[in-house]
Amino acid sequence: MPKKEATPPRPWTDDLESDLRRILTVGEECISEKELQTLITVKGRGTEKYAEHDTDRATDVAPRIRLYDGFEPSGRMHIAQGLLKSVNVNKCTSPGTHSTFCFWVADWFALMNDKMGGDLQKIVIVGKYLIEVWKAAGMDLTNVEFRWASEEITEKAHIYWPLMLDVARRFNATRIKKCCQIMGRLEGNLTAAQVLYPLMQCTDVFFLQADICQLGVDQRKVNMLAREYCDAAKKRYKPVILSHHMLYGLKEGQEKMSKSDPDSAIFMEDTVEDVERKIHKAYCPTQEKSKEGEESTATDAGKESMNLTTDNLKNPILDYVQHIVLSPPGATFTCATAASPDGQTFEDYNTVKEDFLKGDITPDQLKRGLIESLNKLLQPVRDHFENDETAKGLFEQIKEFKKQTAAPVAAAASNDVPKVPRLDLVEKGVIPASSHLVLAPLPNSNPTLQSAADILAKLKAVEGDDTPKVLMLLDWTARVNSALDADAKLITAYYSVLLASLRALDTYLHGDDGGIMKNVTVVTQSEAILKDPSSYWISVINAGRHFSLNEVMGMGIGLGEGMKDSESVGKVIGRLMMIADVLAVNPKSIALDAYAGDDVTNGMEKMNLEGEDDDDSKPQSVEAHLIQHFYSTKLSHPGLASILPVPQLTHISAASGPNLALQLPRESAAHKTEFDEYFLTDDPKVHGKSKMKKAFCEPGNVDFCPPIDLLAYFGGLDGGKKEGVTISRSPENGGNVTYTTKSAILGDFESGALHPGDLKAVVSAVMVEVLTKMNGEIKGDGAAAKGVKALKAFEKKMAKQKKK
């Protein structure tokens, strides 16, 4: 079959060139102009397409250029967000351009940040009010759409959050810290939550399928993160970054306007008198400042320069003239000058600036001209909210909200129980109350018997066999930690194999009647989260606000060096999700792995989270530290004791739990043979003999003797359904001997009364029996059987890539 010829590119026309040049005037920077030109060629003017039956050509079905910006409806709108954004949107969506400007109305984030008292209805009203402001300010809404985050993130949580997890796993902590200028913070002063915001903003770009990120220069770093994500995720088309200028604050030294400082900016609802007062008081230098002698010490990220062009004058009055008054096509600016006391009209900004610096325009003349221009631009907005019933009603409600916010709030009574937003799996009917929680390990391509044995040990680490138990399969945490290359199907495959292995091992050790797994509720993390995704992720972010980033990274808490900045920030997100998981289950107790460092005691230790000075309260893992600190501080209110009781933590370590290792730990991977350090859950039964033959078994060494550990665990010497084990020996070697305790077999092995060969022979038979049981369970479970094949295929794929 002959190869299909590529479609030749569309010819570049004067109209397309005009669209390009007009859109470029929006940005102080465009990355990149060439990509923007290609985008206009592929999706811009002239690419309209209509269905064959649409004879009226009413519905264009061709992909349009999609631009995006976001705003949080948290109250007032300053002039840059109102007038400048209106001009920019009109330039980008001018009739015929074949583009759509998408506003991401971040009402969910306003809710999360407790704006408007955490009342979503009020937040939505504020959002609608801001839309009315834009309409009155002259924004053409014909090609504009508003997407409400509270609706989109909730209805499409299964799309949004996995996308965010994928973004997080692909960047290290260093890179995300650099984005946090959008939070106005230095890198060293970050909370853990502040790394979530740039990750979510990057996610927004792809969730909204934006072709162009049209935000301010202050958002440049996170927008560049979106382009880098395309490289990491092998996405062909990167979003174009079109960063608009950030207006200076009206006061000296303010690199941008501030909603918290009313006199730093003109706001869209300001009266004529407000505008006149603020502009008259505003900073208006007539000479450029020298940079010599400026301090080089670190400053708050929010005060760093927000401009990409050099400006040593930094005159906010001139800034307003250039970017507000003269920004619309064909706009003019009029003010009195030395040559024209009655007023001179300017068509370009450079002439205004030159005349001002020469002294032909005085600061007072410049300010008076600006006051007149701004009031002309704002008057239609004032009129709209006076005459339009819908807009007027919204404005009245907003004013009422402000009164409620400004009114003195009575001190909360000491018995008022604080709200703790969280997913409640008990209320949802997913799990029983007062359960014992075990978090499954992150998946890998070679699930071991050791991992299954560890989980059973954690499930048993609770007082009373009748305590309900919950095993949570951390599939989304696995994705954010890049387990199995974050492949959702492979992660599911691993957990299918693990569950089958747990059932088989449980039955082998405890019999059908005395098994542990029959009293276990298995919960898949992602399915649980999607029961109430909004509450879950708010609890994740609240946990992040409570901790410094360094603390979540494990730095300075006495549990080793902690994460390195070069590691994926996905690990941070995973730890915050763990706190949300615990809150969702609201367990009576939790079993965790103990940290293996020298400064932490190995063993099964129960932690009293309420006793800060108690030796038992010392955390033995970063996870335990975070849980302990969160409960002891964030959830310390007495009224929460019955709602969110403090769970008891148990640590399972190599010393306290089963140790099924076959070899001493090896420092170098070069000394490893293929999977000979542990039995795998899907090992064929012949490996019961072959791996045991190679297992470490030094005569007389009882400090590390894998055959004895395996016999103790699987042969009944550590308890269970079996009643001991008999080792067959010839009469000349002492004859058969039966052991019912581990201490007895250790004594004989240390003294030399038990030979390694005789020991290995009986353990080989036991392991053949165990693996036969495991194989039968896995093969009888369709999902587990397919899972084994999928994991093996992935292992081979990874091995091939390592050889390249």
Side-chain angles (χ1 to χ4, degrees):
M1 185 175 179
K3 187 176 180 181
K4 186 178 179 180
E5 293 185 8
T7 304
R10 287 202 304 152
W12 188 250
T13 65
D14 290 342
D15 284 342
L16 296 178
E17 178 68 20
S18 177
D19 290 341
L20 174 64
R21 294 300 148 198
R22 185 182 62 256
I23 292 172
L24 285 173
T25 63
V26 167
E28 195 165 87
E29 177 188 55
C30 178
I31 304 175
S32 70
E33 182 177 332
K34 182 179 179 181
E35 292 176 10
L36 178 57
Q37 182 173 350
T38 300
L39 181 62
I40 292 173
T41 303
V42 175
K43 292 186 176 182
R45 183 184 301 271
T47 62
E48 296 85 349
K49 185 184 296 184
Y50 303 93
E52 291 183 8
H53 65 277
D54 189 0
T55 55
D56 295 330
R57 298 170 69 83
T59 305
D60 176 20
V61 297
R64 300 168 65 88
I65 298 171
R66 289 184 61 79
L67 303 99
Y68 130 87
D69 191 2
F71 71 96
E72 185 178 303
S74 56
R76 310 181 77 184
M77 179 186 282
H78 55 60
I79 200 167
Q81 190 179 7
L83 294 179
L84 180 58
K85 176 52 69 174
S86 295
V87 171
N88 288 344
V89 168
N90 290 347
K91 287 179 178 179
C92 293
T93 62
S94 180
T97 308
H98 201 239
S99 59
T100 299
F101 204 108
C102 174
F103 277 104
W104 184 234
V105 188
D107 56 337
W108 188 86
F109 297 88
L111 172 68
M112 177 186 71
N113 291 325
D114 203 33
K115 298 293 174 66
M116 296 296 153
D119 188 326
L120 185 58
Q121 281 188 315
K122 290 182 179 179
I123 293 168
V124 170
I125 289 170
V126 174
K128 291 179 178 179
Y129 158 73
L130 297 179
I131 293 172
E132 288 295 321
V133 172
W134 276 320
K135 187 190 300 183
M139 182 184 291
D140 184 352
L141 300 183
T142 305
N143 295 310
V144 174
E145 66 180 31
F146 294 93
R147 302 274 290 275
W148 295 79
S150 59
E151 298 175 1
E152 298 282 341
I153 288 180
T154 301
E155 294 174 5
K156 299 175 183 175
H158 62 293
I159 298 172
Y160 184 89
W161 294 111
L163 180 56
M164 188 279 286
L165 299 177
D166 193 62
V167 171
R169 78 182 185 92
R170 295 181 185 274
F171 294 101
N172 61 28
T174 298
R175 179 63 185 89
I176 300 304
K177 285 180 179 181
K178 292 184 183 301
C179 287
C180 289
Q181 179 178 333
I182 66 172
M183 297 303 299
R185 293 292 184 271
L186 288 171
E187 292 179 14
N189 300 327
L190 297 174
T191 67
Q194 283 167 328
V195 303
L196 267 163
Y197 294 113
L199 294 172
M200 293 171 71
Q201 188 171 322
C202 180
T203 302
D204 295 342
V205 175
F206 300 98
F207 181 73
L208 298 172
Q209 299 178 316
D211 298 308
I212 301 174
C213 299
Q214 205 292 281
L215 295 89
V217 169
D218 61 333
Q219 311 294 309
R220 181 181 186 275
K221 290 182 180 179
V222 74
N223 288 334
M224 291 302 295
L225 187 76
R227 288 177 63 86
E228 293 170 26
Y229 173 72
C230 291
D231 291 330
K234 295 181 172 56
K235 289 182 175 290
R236 183 177 178 184
Y237 298 109
K238 299 178 181 180
V240 172
I241 311 302
L242 192 63
S243 304
H244 66 247
H245 173 77
M246 298 297 294
L247 283 182
Y248 295 130
L250 293 175
K251 296 181 179 180
E252 181 176 3
Q254 290 184 324
E255 290 289 339
K256 65 175 182 177
M257 296 177 294
S258 171
K259 289 183 180 179
S260 61
D261 182 357
D263 285 339
S264 73
I266 302 298
F267 290 87
M268 295 300 290
E269 73 268 26
D270 279 352
T271 63
V272 172
E273 293 76 20
D274 288 331
V275 173
E276 186 168 355
R277 175 180 55 82
K278 291 181 182 182
I279 296 301
H280 274 312
K281 288 174 57 179
Y283 177 60
C284 188
T286 58
Q287 293 182 340
E288 295 185 345
K289 279 189 175 182
S290 171
K291 287 197 171 185
E292 293 180 9
E294 287 187 0
E295 295 182 3
S296 59
T297 53
T299 57
D300 187 288
K303 296 179 181 177
E304 292 176 356
S305 176
M306 295 291 170
N307 296 303
L308 299 175
T309 56
T310 301
D311 181 8
N312 295 329
L313 185 62
K314 295 188 177 179
N315 183 318
I317 304 302
L318 283 174
D319 204 35
Y320 271 47
V321 171
Q322 179 183 9
H323 294 285
I324 297 294
V325 179
L326 290 172
S327 181
T332 61
F333 171 68
T334 301
C335 74
T337 68
S340 303
D342 294 331
Q344 180 179 339
T345 300
F346 298 85
E347 295 181 352
D348 69 287
Y349 166 72
N350 289 331
T351 305
V352 177
K353 182 177 180 182
E354 288 171 6
D355 285 359
F356 176 74
L357 292 178
K358 288 189 302 183
D360 291 346
I361 301 175
T362 67
D364 185 63
Q365 289 171 332
L366 185 67
K367 287 181 176 181
R368 288 187 180 281
L370 179 59
I371 290 169
E372 184 177 346
S373 295
L374 291 179
N375 278 320
K376 283 182 179 178
L377 292 169
L378 290 174
Q379 194 56 45
V381 179
R382 297 170 186 143
D383 294 342
H384 182 68
F385 283 94
E386 182 66 30
N387 301 322
D388 185 280
E389 290 302 319
T390 300
K392 188 175 183 178
L394 289 169
F395 191 39
E396 291 300 321
Q397 292 182 76
I398 298 298
K399 287 193 289 186
E400 187 62 32
F401 297 161
K402 288 181 181 179
K403 290 179 184 178
Q404 295 170 5
T405 305
V409 181
S414 59
N415 60 347
D416 285 352
V417 180
K419 294 180 181 179
V420 182
R422 67 184 182 95
L423 166 65
D424 190 340
L425 292 179
V426 176
E427 182 183 67
K428 296 290 182 185
V430 177
I431 59 170
S434 301
S435 60
H436 174 66
L437 173 63
V438 173
L439 303 173
L442 298 186
N444 59 69
S445 57
N446 294 298
T448 64
L449 275 180
Q450 179 71 64
S451 60
D454 287 342
I455 292 174
L456 288 183
K458 291 174 186 173
L459 290 169
K460 289 172 63 177
V462 60
E463 296 176 3
D465 291 339
D466 58 342
T467 299
K469 302 170 181 67
V470 172
L471 175 61
M472 184 170 282
L473 309 181
L474 305 176
D475 58 335
W476 275 12
T477 299
R479 291 172 74 166
V480 80
N481 280 278
S482 293
L484 295 175
D485 204 24
D487 187 309
K489 291 183 179 179
L490 287 174
I491 291 168
T492 300
Y494 170 87
Y495 284 129
S496 295
V497 175
L498 182 66
L499 290 175
S501 303
L502 283 170
R503 291 193 299 270
L505 186 58
D506 186 32
T507 302
Y508 182 86
L509 293 174
H510 307 110
D512 293 329
D513 298 330
I516 298 171
M517 292 300 294
K518 67 180 183 180
N519 195 29
V520 174
T521 301
V522 178
V523 177
T524 300
Q525 183 189 41
S526 60
E527 294 176 359
I529 291 171
L530 293 175
K531 297 286 184 182
D532 186 0
S534 184
S535 295
Y536 178 85
W537 286 104
I538 288 176
S539 70
V540 171
I541 292 166
N542 282 343
R545 286 172 173 161
H546 182 72
F547 293 104
S548 71
L549 175 59
N550 286 345
E551 193 171 2
V552 178
M553 291 176 72
M555 298 178 181
I557 60 174
L559 293 167
E561 295 180 357
M563 282 177 60
K564 293 180 172 59
D565 279 353
S566 58
E567 292 184 64
S568 169
V569 77
K571 193 170 184 179
V572 171
I573 308 305
R575 285 175 174 171
L576 296 180
M577 290 173 67
M578 176 208 64
I579 297 172
D581 292 334
V582 171
L583 291 174
V585 175
N586 192 12
K588 170 185 175 183
S589 56
I590 311 170
L592 298 169
D593 291 319
Y595 170 69
D598 295 335
D599 58 340
V600 179
T601 304
N602 280 326
M604 185 182 292
E605 305 287 349
K606 287 183 169 53
M607 285 179 58
N608 174 16
L609 296 189
E610 297 174 292
E612 286 287 353
D613 298 325
D614 194 318
D615 289 340
D616 287 342
S617 69
K618 183 179 181 182
Q620 298 186 39
S621 63
V622 175
E623 289 74 15
H625 168 86
L626 297 176
I627 295 171
Q628 178 197 48
H629 197 282
F630 194 78
Y631 271 89
S632 64
T633 54
K634 185 74 172 179
L635 306 181
S636 60
H637 192 284
L640 291 173
S642 60
I643 302 171
L644 290 167
V646 180
Q648 185 180 63
L649 264 67
T650 300
H651 288 94
I652 304 296
S653 69
S656 62
N659 184 2
L660 309 184
L662 297 174
Q663 305 292 340
L664 286 166
R666 292 157 177 168
E667 294 183 2
S668 172
H671 298 114
K672 294 182 181 180
T673 57
E674 188 175 7
F675 313 130
D676 66 343
E677 292 186 315
Y678 290 95
F679 283 109
L680 304 182
T681 56
D682 64 327
D683 269 342
K685 63 181 182 180
V686 294
H687 282 187
K689 291 183 178 180
S690 61
K691 286 192 175 182
M692 183 49 54
K693 185 177 180 180
K694 298 176 183 178
F696 182 87
C697 190
E698 184 179 52
N701 184 347
V702 294
D703 293 328
F704 180 68
C705 185
I708 293 179
D709 289 334
L710 288 163
L711 194 60
Y713 186 72
F714 291 107
L717 305 185
D718 283 341
K721 67 170 186 174
K722 300 183 184 299
E723 299 178 354
V725 62
T726 298
I727 295 180
S728 301
R729 299 185 298 189
S730 61
E732 57 269 23
N733 288 330
N736 297 348
V737 59
T738 298
Y739 294 98
T740 57
T741 65
K742 185 177 182 179
S743 58
I745 197 169
L746 285 171
D748 278 3
F749 189 76
E750 185 175 23
S751 69
L754 179 60
H755 190 273
D758 294 328
L759 176 61
K760 282 192 171 186
V762 69
V763 178
S764 294
V766 169
M767 294 313 301
V768 167
E769 184 181 358
V770 171
L771 293 176
T772 300
K773 178 73 174 176
M774 302 290 287
N775 291 167
E777 184 68 32
I778 290 174
K779 289 179 180 178
D781 183 315
K786 291 179 181 178
V788 167
K789 293 180 180 179
L791 294 175
K792 292 299 181 187
F794 177 77
E795 181 68 28
K796 289 180 180 179
K797 176 184 174 183
M798 292 297 101
K800 287 181 180 179
Q801 289 183 1
K802 285 181 180 180
K803 292 178 181 179
K804 290 182 179 180

